[in-house]
Every structure is written in C-alpha cells, then in structure tokens.
Coordinates of all heavy atoms in Angstrom, one line a residue:
G1 N 0.8 -1.2 0.0 CA 0.0 0.0 0.0 C 0.9 1.2 0.0 O 2.1 1.2 -0.3
T2 N 0.3 2.4 0.3 CA 1.1 3.6 0.5 C 1.7 3.6 1.9 O 1.3 2.8 2.7 CB 0.2 4.8 0.3 OG1 -0.7 4.9 1.4 CG2 -0.6 4.8 -1.0
P3 N 2.7 4.4 2.1 CA 3.3 4.4 3.5 C 2.3 4.7 4.6 O 2.5 4.3 5.7 CB 4.4 5.5 3.3 CG 4.8 5.5 1.9 CD 3.5 5.2 1.2
S4 N 1.3 5.5 4.3 CA 0.3 5.8 5.3 C -0.7 4.7 5.5 O -1.4 4.6 6.5 CB -0.4 7.1 5.0 OG -1.1 7.0 3.8
E5 N -0.8 3.7 4.6 CA -1.8 2.7 4.6 C -1.3 1.4 5.3 O -2.0 0.7 6.0 CB -2.3 2.3 3.2 CG -3.1 3.4 2.5 CD -3.4 3.0 1.1 OE1 -2.6 2.2 0.5 OE2 -4.3 3.6 0.5
V6 N 0.0 1.1 5.1 CA 0.5 -0.2 5.6 C 0.8 -0.1 7.1 O 1.5 0.8 7.6 CB 1.8 -0.6 4.8 CG1 2.4 -1.8 5.4 CG2 1.5 -0.8 3.4
M7 N 0.2 -1.0 7.9 CA 0.3 -1.0 9.3 C 1.2 -2.2 9.8 O 1.3 -3.2 9.1 CB -1.1 -1.3 10.0 CG -2.1 -0.1 9.7 SD -1.7 1.4 10.5 CE -1.1 2.4 9.1
V8 N 1.9 -1.9 10.9 CA 2.9 -2.9 11.5 C 2.4 -3.3 12.8 O 1.9 -2.5 13.7 CB 4.3 -2.2 11.6 CG1 5.3 -3.2 12.3 CG2 4.8 -1.8 10.2
P9 N 2.4 -4.6 13.2 CA 2.0 -5.1 14.5 C 2.7 -4.4 15.6 O 3.9 -4.2 15.5 CB 2.2 -6.6 14.4 CG 2.3 -6.9 13.0 CD 2.8 -5.7 12.3
F10 N 2.0 -4.2 16.7 CA 2.6 -3.5 17.9 C 3.8 -4.3 18.4 O 4.8 -3.8 18.9 CB 1.6 -3.4 19.0 CG 2.1 -2.7 20.2 CD1 2.1 -1.3 20.3 CD2 2.4 -3.4 21.3 CE1 2.6 -0.7 21.4 CE2 2.9 -2.8 22.5 CZ 3.0 -1.4 22.5
N11 N 3.7 -5.7 18.4 CA 4.7 -6.5 19.0 C 5.9 -6.9 18.1 O 6.7 -7.7 18.4 CB 4.1 -7.8 19.5 CG 3.5 -7.7 20.9 OD1 3.8 -6.8 21.6 ND2 2.5 -8.5 21.2
D12 N 5.9 -6.2 16.9 CA 7.1 -6.4 16.1 C 8.3 -5.9 16.9 O 8.3 -4.8 17.5 CB 7.0 -5.6 14.8 CG 8.1 -6.0 13.8 OD1 9.3 -5.9 14.1 OD2 7.8 -6.4 12.7
R13 N 9.4 -6.7 17.0 CA 10.5 -6.4 17.9 C 11.2 -5.2 17.5 O 12.0 -4.6 18.3 CB 11.5 -7.6 17.9 CG 10.9 -8.8 18.7 CD 11.9 -10.0 18.6 NE 13.2 -9.7 19.2 CZ 13.6 -9.9 20.5 NH1 12.7 -10.4 21.3 NH2 14.8 -9.6 20.8
V14 N 11.0 -4.6 16.3 CA 11.7 -3.4 15.9 C 11.2 -2.3 16.9 O 12.0 -1.3 17.2 CB 11.4 -3.0 14.5 CG1 9.9 -2.6 14.3 CG2 12.3 -2.0 14.0
H15 N 10.0 -2.3 17.4 CA 9.5 -1.2 18.2 C 10.2 -1.1 19.5 O 10.3 -0.1 20.1 CB 8.0 -1.4 18.4 CG 7.2 -1.2 17.2 ND1 6.0 -2.0 16.9 CD2 7.3 -0.5 16.1 CE1 5.5 -1.7 15.7 NE2 6.3 -0.8 15.2
F16 N 10.6 -2.3 20.1 CA 11.2 -2.3 21.4 C 12.7 -2.3 21.4 O 13.3 -1.7 22.3 CB 10.7 -3.6 22.2 CG 9.2 -3.7 22.2 CD1 8.6 -4.8 21.6 CD2 8.4 -2.8 22.9 CE1 7.2 -4.9 21.7 CE2 7.1 -2.9 23.0 CZ 6.4 -4.0 22.4
F17 N 13.3 -2.9 20.4 CA 14.7 -3.1 20.4 C 15.5 -2.6 19.1 O 16.7 -2.7 19.1 CB 15.0 -4.6 20.6 CG 14.4 -5.2 21.8 CD1 13.4 -6.2 21.6 CD2 14.8 -4.9 23.0 CE1 12.8 -6.7 22.7 CE2 14.2 -5.5 24.2 CZ 13.2 -6.4 24.0
G18 N 14.7 -2.1 18.1 CA 15.4 -1.8 16.9 C 16.0 -3.1 16.3 O 17.1 -3.0 15.7
D19 N 15.3 -4.2 16.5 CA 15.9 -5.5 16.3 C 15.8 -5.9 14.8 O 14.8 -6.5 14.4 CB 15.2 -6.5 17.2 CG 15.9 -7.9 17.3 OD1 16.9 -8.0 16.5 OD2 15.5 -8.7 18.1
G20 N 16.8 -5.5 14.0 CA 16.7 -5.8 12.6 C 17.9 -5.2 11.9 O 18.8 -4.6 12.5
C21 N 17.9 -5.4 10.6 CA 18.9 -4.8 9.7 C 18.3 -4.4 8.4 O 17.2 -4.8 8.1 CB 20.1 -5.8 9.5 SG 19.6 -7.3 8.7
Y22 N 19.0 -3.6 7.6 CA 18.4 -3.0 6.4 C 19.5 -2.9 5.3 O 20.7 -3.0 5.6 CB 17.8 -1.7 6.7 CG 18.8 -0.5 6.9 CD1 19.0 0.4 5.8 CD2 19.5 -0.3 8.0 CE1 19.9 1.4 5.9 CE2 20.4 0.7 8.2 CZ 20.6 1.6 7.1 OH 21.5 2.6 7.2
D23 N 19.0 -2.5 4.2 CA 19.9 -2.1 3.1 C 19.1 -1.1 2.2 O 17.9 -1.0 2.3 CB 20.4 -3.3 2.3 CG 21.9 -3.0 1.9 OD1 22.2 -2.1 1.2 OD2 22.7 -3.8 2.5
A24 N 19.8 -0.4 1.4 CA 19.2 0.6 0.5 C 20.0 0.9 -0.7 O 21.2 0.8 -0.6 CB 18.9 1.9 1.4
T25 N 19.4 1.4 -1.7 CA 20.1 1.8 -2.9 C 19.1 2.7 -3.7 O 18.1 3.2 -3.1 CB 20.5 0.6 -3.8 OG1 21.2 1.1 -4.9 CG2 19.4 -0.3 -4.2
V26 N 19.4 2.9 -4.9 CA 18.4 3.7 -5.8 C 18.0 2.8 -6.9 O 18.6 1.8 -7.2 CB 19.1 5.0 -6.4 CG1 19.4 6.0 -5.3 CG2 20.3 4.6 -7.2
G27 N 16.8 3.1 -7.5 CA 16.3 2.4 -8.6 C 16.1 3.4 -9.7 O 15.6 4.5 -9.5
A28 N 16.4 3.0 -10.9 CA 16.1 3.9 -12.1 C 15.7 3.0 -13.3 O 16.2 1.9 -13.5 CB 17.4 4.7 -12.4
N29 N 14.7 3.5 -14.0 CA 14.2 2.8 -15.2 C 13.7 1.4 -14.8 O 13.9 0.5 -15.6 CB 15.2 2.8 -16.3 CG 15.3 4.1 -17.1 OD1 14.4 4.9 -17.0 ND2 16.4 4.2 -17.8
G30 N 13.2 1.2 -13.6 CA 12.7 -0.1 -13.2 C 13.8 -1.0 -12.7 O 13.5 -2.2 -12.5
K31 N 15.0 -0.6 -12.6 CA 16.1 -1.5 -12.2 C 16.7 -1.0 -10.9 O 16.9 0.1 -10.6 CB 17.3 -1.4 -13.3 CG 16.9 -2.0 -14.6 CD 18.1 -2.0 -15.6 CE 17.7 -2.6 -16.9 NZ 18.8 -2.5 -17.9
V32 N 16.9 -2.0 -10.0 CA 17.5 -1.7 -8.7 C 19.0 -1.7 -8.8 O 19.6 -2.7 -9.2 CB 17.0 -2.8 -7.6 CG1 17.6 -2.5 -6.3 CG2 15.5 -2.9 -7.6
Y33 N 19.6 -0.6 -8.6 CA 21.0 -0.4 -8.9 C 21.9 -1.3 -8.0 O 21.7 -1.2 -6.7 CB 21.4 1.1 -8.7 CG 22.8 1.4 -9.1 CD1 23.3 0.9 -10.4 CD2 23.6 2.1 -8.3 CE1 24.6 1.2 -10.8 CE2 25.0 2.4 -8.7 CZ 25.4 1.9 -9.9 OH 26.7 2.2 -10.3
L34 N 22.8 -2.0 -8.6 CA 23.7 -2.9 -7.9 C 23.0 -3.8 -6.9 O 23.4 -4.1 -5.8 CB 24.8 -2.1 -7.1 CG 25.6 -1.1 -8.0 CD1 26.6 -0.4 -7.1 CD2 26.3 -1.9 -9.1
L35 N 21.9 -4.4 -7.4 CA 21.0 -5.2 -6.6 C 21.7 -6.4 -5.9 O 21.6 -6.6 -4.7 CB 19.9 -5.8 -7.5 CG 18.9 -6.8 -6.8 CD1 18.2 -6.1 -5.7 CD2 17.9 -7.3 -7.9
Q36 N 22.6 -7.1 -6.7 CA 23.2 -8.3 -6.1 C 24.2 -7.9 -4.9 O 24.2 -8.6 -3.9 CB 24.0 -9.1 -7.1 CG 24.4 -10.5 -6.7 CD 23.2 -11.4 -6.3 OE1 22.2 -11.5 -7.0 NE2 23.2 -11.9 -5.1
D37 N 24.9 -6.8 -5.1 CA 25.8 -6.3 -4.1 C 25.0 -6.0 -2.8 O 25.5 -6.4 -1.7 CB 26.5 -5.1 -4.5 CG 27.4 -5.3 -5.8 OD1 26.8 -5.5 -6.8 OD2 28.6 -5.3 -5.6
H38 N 23.9 -5.3 -2.9 CA 23.1 -5.0 -1.8 C 22.5 -6.2 -1.1 O 22.4 -6.2 0.1 CB 22.1 -3.9 -2.2 CG 22.7 -2.6 -2.4 ND1 23.0 -1.7 -1.4 CD2 23.1 -2.0 -3.5 CE1 23.5 -0.6 -1.9 NE2 23.6 -0.7 -3.2
L39 N 22.0 -7.1 -1.9 CA 21.4 -8.3 -1.4 C 22.5 -9.1 -0.6 O 22.2 -9.6 0.5 CB 20.8 -9.2 -2.4 CG 19.5 -8.7 -3.1 CD1 19.1 -9.6 -4.2 CD2 18.4 -8.6 -2.1
D40 N 23.7 -9.2 -1.1 CA 24.7 -9.9 -0.4 C 25.0 -9.3 0.9 O 25.1 -10.0 1.9 CB 26.0 -9.9 -1.3 CG 25.9 -10.8 -2.5 OD1 25.0 -11.6 -2.6 OD2 26.8 -10.7 -3.4
R41 N 25.1 -8.0 1.0 CA 25.4 -7.3 2.3 C 24.2 -7.5 3.2 O 24.4 -7.7 4.4 CB 25.7 -5.8 2.0 CG 26.0 -5.1 3.3 CD 26.5 -3.7 3.0 NE 25.5 -2.8 2.5 CZ 25.6 -1.6 2.2 NH1 26.8 -1.0 2.4 NH2 24.6 -0.8 1.7
F42 N 23.0 -7.4 2.7 CA 21.8 -7.6 3.5 C 21.7 -8.9 4.2 O 21.5 -9.1 5.4 CB 20.5 -7.4 2.6 CG 19.2 -7.4 3.3 CD1 18.9 -6.6 4.4 CD2 18.3 -8.4 2.9 CE1 17.7 -6.7 5.0 CE2 17.0 -8.5 3.6 CZ 16.7 -7.6 4.6
Y43 N 22.0 -10.0 3.4 CA 21.9 -11.3 4.0 C 23.1 -11.6 4.9 O 23.0 -12.3 5.9 CB 21.9 -12.4 2.9 CG 20.5 -12.6 2.3 CD1 20.0 -11.7 1.4 CD2 19.7 -13.6 2.7 CE1 18.7 -11.8 0.9 CE2 18.4 -13.8 2.2 CZ 17.9 -12.9 1.3 OH 16.7 -13.0 0.8
T44 N 24.2 -10.9 4.7 CA 25.4 -11.0 5.6 C 25.0 -10.4 7.0 O 25.3 -11.0 8.0 CB 26.6 -10.4 5.0 OG1 27.0 -11.1 3.8 CG2 27.8 -10.4 6.0
S45 N 24.4 -9.2 6.9 CA 24.0 -8.5 8.2 C 23.0 -9.4 9.0 O 23.1 -9.5 10.2 CB 23.4 -7.2 7.8 OG 24.3 -6.2 7.3
A46 N 22.0 -9.9 8.3 CA 21.0 -10.7 8.9 C 21.6 -12.0 9.6 O 21.3 -12.4 10.7 CB 19.9 -11.1 7.9
K47 N 22.6 -12.6 8.9 CA 23.3 -13.8 9.4 C 24.0 -13.4 10.7 O 24.0 -14.2 11.7 CB 24.2 -14.4 8.4 CG 24.8 -15.7 8.8 CD 25.7 -16.3 7.7 CE 26.3 -17.6 8.1 NZ 27.2 -18.2 7.1
L48 N 24.7 -12.3 10.7 CA 25.5 -11.9 11.9 C 24.6 -11.6 13.1 O 25.0 -11.7 14.2 CB 26.3 -10.6 11.5 CG 27.5 -10.9 10.6 CD1 28.1 -9.5 10.1 CD2 28.5 -11.7 11.2

C-alpha cells in the first residue's frame, strides 16, 4: 500500500529493540542499482 496505509503489528521487535537490519540503494528505469551487491550485504548482516 502507500506508506500511510500499511500497518505494522505492535509486537514487532523493531518497536522495542530496533531488532533488525536493512539495506538501501536507488532504482532507475525499473532497475534496482547494484542489486546483487546490496542483497549480499543484507543477507550477511542478517546472518550476523
């Protein structure tokens, strides 16, 4: 949905502990830039 429509459960651990990891990049012309590099880093962070 839009950012104002999508709701998150109260008990998601992110609310209490910031318990998670993220990644980010830019997208242009429908392509996620350097997608594989960012996915590799994301899965590494989650594993740690």
Side-chain angles (χ1 to χ4, degrees):
T2 66
S4 61
E5 292 171 341
V6 175
M7 297 290 105
V8 176
F10 181 82
N11 277 336
D12 192 302
R13 287 178 59 92
V14 71
H15 295 142
F16 304 117
F17 305 112
D19 195 352
C21 58
Y22 76 102
D23 221 294
T25 182
V26 294
N29 282 344
K31 295 182 179 179
V32 183
Y33 185 50
L34 302 179
L35 175 61
Q36 194 60 50
D37 300 71
H38 286 277
L39 288 175
D40 288 346
R41 185 172 64 177
F42 181 59
Y43 279 79
T44 297
S45 291
K47 183 177 181 180
L48 290 170

